[in-house]
């Protein structure tokens, strides 16, 4: 999904327009049917939910998000559908899945462009902001806690494991020498100055992988995904489908193995579905999206 925030008149909430990734593939993959009940485990700006609500008459959605601001944005975006949508503020791993409830489940993982476009949330190193990165602001652990308190070896390990960062050790060393850090930009500069020059001016900013690792750790993203994939299939009706969109290899590995190893599911996508060149041109976030779909057969 791609959000474009524009500044609202005073005292109004920001408004977001958004483009859900792989829209047709999700609707076809879920085989949306009239009167069906769907779980959107990551409602975000409501892009995929809107598509499901529009795809067939009388569809209903249970919409989850662990971020209250995202949930509020989705409420506004989907207001016209009234009681066809029920909103719940929860991590999808903590959601109480009732058995055989949903005709389909969609999860579109990670942060939204909304998070990246709101500097104060601390997800982006392109704007100076406090090192936060919590999707759920009710939790206490922030990126600043990790960066300023964890020991050097722990930092190197998470940069390597969750960022696949090959300079993890030297970056961790530099961070420990220079901390405490207050802002995203200070941290990004320290990272950039600790890697070789050719890496510094490469295709992606040298802080990208470390920021990904921090975000995964702060939000315990991989653990939540593992729990979700274990629990969610039970909540599908027989023949119901689950569609999961991931954005990096660590997530995709969990999705691939989790769906394949579930005794309740049959995987429908031999290879993950990816975006066309045309979609990538209009929605750059779709470039790394991988969609896998499975069906409940037992
Ligand atoms: C990529 S956006 C979803 C965009 C949405 N599909 C759309 O088209 O508008 C991901 C959303 O999932 C939420 N999220 C990420 N991990 C979550 C989790 N474990 N539980 C609940 N929500 C989560 C984020 O807060 C974010 O709003």
């Amino acid at each position: 999904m791609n959000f474009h925030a524009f500044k609202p008149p005073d005292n109004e909430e920001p408004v977001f327009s958004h483009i859900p990734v792989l829209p047709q593939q999700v609707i076809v993959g879920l085989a949306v049917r009239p009167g069906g009940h769907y779980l959107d485990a990551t409602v975000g700006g409501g892009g995929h939910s809107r598509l499901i609500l529009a795809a067939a008459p009388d569809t209903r959605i249970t919409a989850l998000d662990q971020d209250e601001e995202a949930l509020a944005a989705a409420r506004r975006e989907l207001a016209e559908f009234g009681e066809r949508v029920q909103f719940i503020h929860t991590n999808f791993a903590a959601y109480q899945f009732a058995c055989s409830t949903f005709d389909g489940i969609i999860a579109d993982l990670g942060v939204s462009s909304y998070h990246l476009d709101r500097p104060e949330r601390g997800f982006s190193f392109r704007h100076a902001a406090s090192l936060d990165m919590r999707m759920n602001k009710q939790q206490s652990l922030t990126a600043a806690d990790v960066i300023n308190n964890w020991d050097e070896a722990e930092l190197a390990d998470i940069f390597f494991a969750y960022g696949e960062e090959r300079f993890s050790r030297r970056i961790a060393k530099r961070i420990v020498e220079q901390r405490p850090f207050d802002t995203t930009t200070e941290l990004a500069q320290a990272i950039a100055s600790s890697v070789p020059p050719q890496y510094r001016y490469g295709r992606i900013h040298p802080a990208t992988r470390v920021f990904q690792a921090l975000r995964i750790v702060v939000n315990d993203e991989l653990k939540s995904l593992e729990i979700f994939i274990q629990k969610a299939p039970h909540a599908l009706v027989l023949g119901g489908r689950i569609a999961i969109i991931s954005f990096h290899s660590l997530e995709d590995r969990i999705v691939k193995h989790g769906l394949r190893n579930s005794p309740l599911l049959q995987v429908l996508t031999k290879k993950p579905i990816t975006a066309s060149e045309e979609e990538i041109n209009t929605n750059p976030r779709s470039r790394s999206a991988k969609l896998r779909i499975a069906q409940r057969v037992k």
Side-chain angles (χ1 to χ4, degrees):
M1 173 188 50
N2 218 0
F3 279 109
H4 304 286
F6 62 84
K7 197 171 174 339
D10 287 348
N11 302 326
E12 271 185 35
E13 292 292 333
V15 182
F16 300 91
S17 64
H18 47 271
I19 314 170
V21 299
L22 300 167
Q24 270 316 105
Q25 296 89 331
V26 167
I27 295 304
V28 172
L30 286 176
V32 175
R33 64 164 192 84
H37 185 188
Y38 296 87
L39 177 73
D40 186 343
T42 54
V43 68
H48 287 108
S49 280
R50 171 176 282 280
L51 291 171
I52 293 169
L53 290 159
D58 303 323
T59 44
R60 283 176 302 134
I61 301 265
T62 297
L64 316 183
D65 205 294
Q66 65 173 333
D67 184 327
E68 268 174 318
E69 285 179 17
L71 207 60
R75 250 182 230 283
R76 291 193 292 277
E77 170 66 24
L78 302 173
E80 71 198 81
F81 297 100
E83 296 191 347
R84 288 173 66 191
V85 194
Q86 186 199 5
F87 297 92
I88 303 176
H89 177 226
T90 182
N91 186 310
F92 54 53
Y95 178 63
Q96 299 287 322
F97 289 90
C99 278
S100 306
T101 305
F102 299 112
D103 296 283
I105 297 176
I106 166 79
D108 174 20
L109 302 171
V111 282
S112 58
S113 312
Y114 166 75
H115 287 125
L116 300 173
D117 288 346
R118 305 279 294 202
E120 72 277 11
R121 301 299 298 268
F123 287 103
S124 170
F125 46 76
R126 309 218 175 265
H127 317 270
S130 70
L131 279 163
D132 189 326
M133 296 197 194
R134 290 169 301 168
M135 285 190 211
N136 180 357
K137 289 210 231 163
Q138 289 171 2
Q139 77 167 48
S140 62
L141 184 74
T142 65
D145 295 332
V146 175
I147 283 295
N148 293 326
N149 299 321
W150 287 24
D151 69 34
E152 188 179 322
E154 278 178 308
L155 290 177
D157 286 349
I158 62 164
F159 298 160
F160 188 72
Y162 302 136
E164 299 177 292
E165 172 55 71
R166 64 194 162 113
F167 297 110
S168 54
R169 297 211 173 279
R170 51 202 276 186
I171 294 172
K173 185 167 187 289
R174 177 65 58 93
I175 286 173
V176 169
E177 281 164 6
Q178 294 191 355
R179 67 189 185 186
F181 290 95
D182 292 323
T183 65
T184 48
T185 41
E186 281 167 11
L187 177 64
Q189 273 164 17
I191 296 166
S193 69
S194 64
V195 299
Q198 69 273 25
Y199 195 64
R200 215 172 294 159
Y201 304 109
R203 197 174 59 83
I204 62 165
H205 188 284
T208 307
R209 294 175 205 282
V210 168
F211 271 61
Q212 174 183 302
L214 280 171
R215 204 197 80 201
I216 289 174
V217 167
V218 167
N219 297 291
D220 208 2
E221 291 181 26
L222 302 183
K223 187 87 197 129
S224 295
L225 180 56
E226 277 169 9
I227 295 171
F228 170 73
I229 293 183
Q230 273 169 21
K231 288 163 103 177
H234 298 271
L236 286 170
V237 298
L238 201 59
R241 295 185 178 186
I242 180 166
I244 306 183
I245 304 171
S246 65
F247 291 88
H248 54 78
S249 57
L250 300 165
E251 281 176 346
D252 185 51
R253 208 172 300 150
I254 294 172
V255 176
K256 180 177 165 183
H257 293 294
L259 296 182
R260 190 203 281 157
N261 295 338
S262 167
L264 303 182
L265 298 177
Q266 181 185 356
V267 176
L268 303 179
T269 44
K270 266 205 180 102
K271 286 193 174 162
I273 297 170
T274 54
S276 63
E277 275 307 312
E278 197 187 342
E279 181 176 357
I280 294 169
N281 288 336
T282 52
N283 186 6
R285 181 174 175 269
S286 66
R287 179 179 298 280
S288 46
K290 287 194 171 136
L291 166 65
R292 294 185 188 269
I293 301 168
Q295 183 162 34
R296 181 160 184 187
V297 289
K298 275 187 200 150

